[in-house]
Amino acid sequence: MADTLNPAISVARATVYQSTWLELAATLPDNMPAATLAIVDGPYNMKKADWDTFRDWDHFVAWYRPEMEELTRVLAVDAAVYLWGSDESEGYLRPLMRDLGWTFRGS
């Protein structure tokens, strides 16, 4: 599966890879039936650190677009995604997620 990535930890039941999501996603097939959960904790654009500061909300959403597109491609159709963020950052990402065909359950 992730044959182009080097494992960080490998035990009998699992292998953990250290990479970016986009590096890992490039090695995965479409619509993996077992891929039913994603936990996303990316930047929030709270401007408290350089890595969490975007020029504006359009650039914030543009950064997330390829991440979300790959989640859409790889995850099972009925997968759940937990997205951590501020109310404001999540509000800016909801239109993108709807455009990708995601539905919402809860807040």
Side-chain angles (χ1 to χ4, degrees):
M1 175 168 51
D3 47 329
T4 61
L5 301 174
N6 293 321
I9 300 168
S10 191
V11 295
R13 293 187 57 190
T15 301
V16 175
Y17 296 91
Q18 183 176 353
S19 72
T20 68
W21 163 240
L22 293 178
E23 291 169 341
L24 178 62
T27 70
L28 301 175
D30 294 353
N31 299 324
M32 296 174 55
T36 58
L37 173 65
I39 299 172
V40 179
D41 189 12
Y44 301 176
N45 199 26
M46 293 180 69
K47 302 181 185 340
K48 293 184 177 184
D50 289 342
W51 59 266
D52 190 34
T53 300
F54 293 84
R55 183 176 353 153
D56 54 36
W57 287 106
D58 290 338
H59 284 86
F60 173 78
V61 173
W63 183 90
Y64 263 100
R65 179 172 289 282
E67 310 277 331
M68 299 296 190
E69 288 172 343
E70 285 299 289
L71 282 171
T72 303
R73 181 186 68 78
V74 170
L75 292 176
V77 175
D78 59 348
V81 176
Y82 290 89
L83 175 68
W84 267 254
S86 67
D87 287 341
E88 190 172 21
S89 66
E90 289 179 8
Y92 280 96
L93 292 174
R94 282 190 181 112
L96 169 60
M97 293 183 279
R98 284 189 181 99
D99 288 348
L100 293 171
W102 296 17
T103 56
F104 295 88
R105 297 180 189 153
S107 53

